[in-house]
Protein backbone atom coordinates (compact mmCIF):
# COMPACT_ATOMS: atom_id res chain seq x y z
CA UNK A 1 0.00 0.00 0.00
CA UNK A 2 1.42 3.43 -0.90
CA UNK A 3 2.38 5.72 1.92
CA UNK A 4 -0.15 8.46 2.64
CA UNK A 5 0.64 12.12 2.10
CA UNK A 6 -0.12 14.98 4.45
CA UNK A 7 -0.78 17.42 1.61
CA UNK A 8 -1.70 17.14 -2.06
CA UNK A 9 -1.00 20.25 -4.12
CA UNK A 10 -2.92 20.40 -7.40
CA UNK A 11 -0.99 22.50 -9.88
CA UNK A 12 2.74 22.82 -10.23
CA UNK A 13 2.85 26.53 -10.93
CA UNK A 14 4.78 29.07 -8.92
CA UNK A 15 2.29 29.26 -6.05
CA UNK A 16 1.65 25.52 -5.93
CA UNK A 17 5.34 24.71 -5.75
CA UNK A 18 5.96 27.43 -3.17
CA UNK A 19 3.26 25.96 -0.93
CA UNK A 20 4.59 22.44 -1.48
CA UNK A 21 8.12 23.54 -0.56
CA UNK A 22 6.95 25.34 2.57
CA UNK A 23 4.99 22.29 3.70
CA UNK A 24 7.90 19.93 2.96
CA UNK A 25 10.28 22.13 4.91
CA UNK A 26 7.79 21.96 7.77
CA UNK A 27 8.07 18.18 7.84
CA UNK A 28 4.95 17.31 5.85
CA UNK A 29 4.81 14.58 3.19
CA UNK A 30 3.75 16.33 0.01
CA UNK A 31 2.68 15.23 -3.45
CA UNK A 32 2.35 17.68 -6.36
CA UNK A 33 -0.19 16.79 -9.04
CA UNK A 34 0.10 18.60 -12.36
CA UNK A 35 -1.32 17.99 -15.82
CA UNK A 36 2.11 17.72 -17.46
CA UNK A 37 4.99 15.47 -16.50
CA UNK A 38 7.54 18.19 -17.35
CA UNK A 39 7.57 21.92 -16.84
CA UNK A 40 6.41 24.11 -19.70
CA UNK A 41 5.49 27.77 -20.05
CA UNK A 42 6.72 30.04 -17.30
Amino acid sequence: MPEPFDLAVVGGGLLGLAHALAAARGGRRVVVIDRDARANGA
Side-chain angles (χ1 to χ4, degrees):
M1 182 158 109
E3 297 214 14
F5 295 100
D6 298 314
L7 176 67
V9 176
V10 179
L14 182 62
L15 289 177
L17 292 178
H19 282 85
L21 178 61
R25 285 183 174 169
R28 305 282 194 274
R29 289 176 293 191
V30 181
V31 61
V32 176
I33 302 167
D34 196 32
R35 67 179 161 194
D36 296 315
R38 296 173 54 174
N40 66 30

